[in-house]
Amino acid sequence: MKSQRIASEGAVDTLIVILDNGEEAFSTLQNYARQEEIFAASLTAIGAFARATVGWFDFASKSYKEVEIDEQCEVLSAIGDVAVGDDGKASLHVHVVLGLSDGSTRGGHLLKGAVHPTLEVVLTETPARLRRRKRPDLGIALIDADPQQVEPRQ
């Protein structure tokens, strides 16, 4: 993985993160956000995976149904965010649309993706500290939009 801060405009920073062949996308990006102490950011990405796992959230069971994609796929679109989780660490949430060789697509929450040959990620960091809280009634963690929960970045 390589990364570089490519722009700083006022309180907003833009970073480019390039993942290398063989890296696991979700864990690598989440670890990067934690190491760099990124607590509020939006994310977009394009690239490709050798294989991936996406999740479809089942509200009845309050769990993800894992959908395995055991073939090369193009990351046609990845969009997500970074916020502070219940553990106080950066928490990544990414949705992807993956293109298959026959032109069909699969999509869902990115759970795992084996990068092949690259994944190009743009992170736009904002001067806040967004909070993602587990919602027991839903079974998932969502960003808490309560103004008292959005803290300025130190």
Side-chain angles (χ1 to χ4, degrees):
M1 177 191 73
K2 297 177 187 84
S3 67
Q4 183 176 352
R5 192 165 306 270
I6 59 173
S8 289
E9 296 180 25
V12 177
D13 289 341
T14 304
L15 301 101
I16 184 98
V17 182
I18 308 297
L19 277 66
D20 295 319
N21 192 46
E23 289 186 286
E24 197 291 303
F26 190 88
S27 63
T28 299
L29 289 170
Q30 182 152 275
N31 289 338
Y32 175 80
R34 289 176 176 180
Q35 289 170 354
E36 296 298 315
E37 298 183 336
I38 298 171
F39 297 120
S42 62
L43 171 155
T44 59
I46 57 172
F49 296 140
R51 65 190 165 286
T53 304
V54 297
W56 180 83
F57 192 77
D58 180 359
F59 284 102
S61 68
K62 295 183 179 175
S63 64
Y64 285 99
K65 174 186 174 195
E66 291 189 2
V67 178
E68 301 288 336
I69 297 122
D70 288 322
E71 62 183 273
Q72 178 184 335
C73 49
E74 297 285 328
V75 179
L76 304 176
S77 176
I79 188 167
D81 57 47
V82 179
V84 177
D86 286 333
D87 60 2
K89 299 178 182 175
S91 169
L92 188 66
H93 182 195
V94 180
H95 288 202
V96 293
V97 177
L98 304 174
L100 306 181
S101 63
D102 64 359
S104 66
T105 58
R106 298 279 178 92
H109 294 263
L110 178 63
L111 301 177
K112 291 186 275 189
V115 174
H116 180 67
T118 190
L119 187 68
E120 303 166 349
V121 182
V122 177
L123 283 167
T124 304
E125 188 178 13
T126 61
R129 188 176 173 96
L130 295 178
R131 186 73 163 89
R132 189 182 323 278
R133 295 189 187 280
K134 178 81 174 203
R135 294 270 310 268
D137 58 322
L138 298 175
I140 55 176
L142 301 175
I143 289 178
D144 187 341
D146 181 341
Q148 295 178 10
Q149 300 302 322
V150 177
E151 306 166 19
R153 189 171 64 194
Q154 304 285 328

